[in-house]
Amino acid sequence: MTFSVDVTVRGYELDTQGHLNQAVYLQYAEHARWELLRAAGLPQEKLLADGIGPVQLEVTVKYRRELRGGEKVRVTCRFDYGTGKTFTLAQQVIKEDGTVAAEITGVAGVLDLTERRLVPDPQGRLAALAGNPDLLTG
């Protein structure tokens, strides 16, 4: 399932050319990931109480179209699991007209905060804690 949140580009997020600053795309992606976890019933407090936390291991951003102040965008997020300790994140920043402004892909995992190692089955660990685990599957 692909989850999404809506964001309006704020003036203070712009660079000197009047475009959305490149680092803010990563902030939008992070916001969407946390909102997905929260919607699935996994707020940060619950993850910490269980001794785990999501970690981003790799990220790639492909900028497709510029964004300017006041534009409304939809930021999508999907977790695609394999068989190992990591999973793929697939995200897009989409303008109101459907144009993809950015594609963000990454590799993530779930860190055991005591052992400081990735948990062996991130999908299973998150699903066991989640109130709505269906949101966590791609």
Side-chain angles (χ1 to χ4, degrees):
M1 172 176 206
T2 300
F3 180 83
S4 66
V5 295
D6 294 332
V7 178
T8 300
V9 176
R10 295 166 290 254
Y12 62 84
E13 297 172 328
L14 305 179
D15 62 19
T16 58
Q17 290 84 17
H19 307 134
L20 184 66
N21 179 283
Q22 53 89 23
V24 180
Y25 286 88
L26 295 174
Q27 292 172 348
Y28 286 3
E30 180 81 2
H31 173 61
R33 290 191 300 272
W34 277 108
E35 286 299 302
L36 168 54
L37 289 169
R38 190 181 62 72
L42 296 171
Q44 188 174 24
E45 303 79 33
K46 187 171 188 176
L47 295 169
L48 291 174
D50 195 61
I52 60 172
V55 291
Q56 183 98 10
L57 304 169
E58 177 182 312
V59 65
T60 301
V61 182
K62 293 180 182 177
Y63 303 99
R64 300 294 186 197
R65 295 288 183 272
E66 68 183 6
L67 291 175
R68 297 192 171 271
E71 286 193 82
K72 296 179 189 315
V73 296
R74 177 157 287 164
V75 185
T76 66
C77 185
R78 188 180 73 241
F79 295 176
D80 293 322
Y81 299 96
T83 57
K85 295 180 180 183
T86 62
F87 55 95
T88 302
L89 297 169
Q91 297 187 261
Q92 291 184 320
V93 178
I94 305 169
K95 298 171 78 145
E96 282 187 297
D97 67 2
T99 303
V100 175
E103 296 173 348
I104 303 156
T105 57
V107 177
V110 175
L111 186 69
D112 179 308
L113 299 174
T114 302
E115 298 292 323
R116 307 307 291 179
R117 301 211 183 277
L118 294 176
V119 301
D121 177 16
Q123 181 178 14
R125 184 72 177 264
L126 292 174
L129 288 174
N132 188 356
D134 291 342
L135 289 177
L136 300 170
T137 57

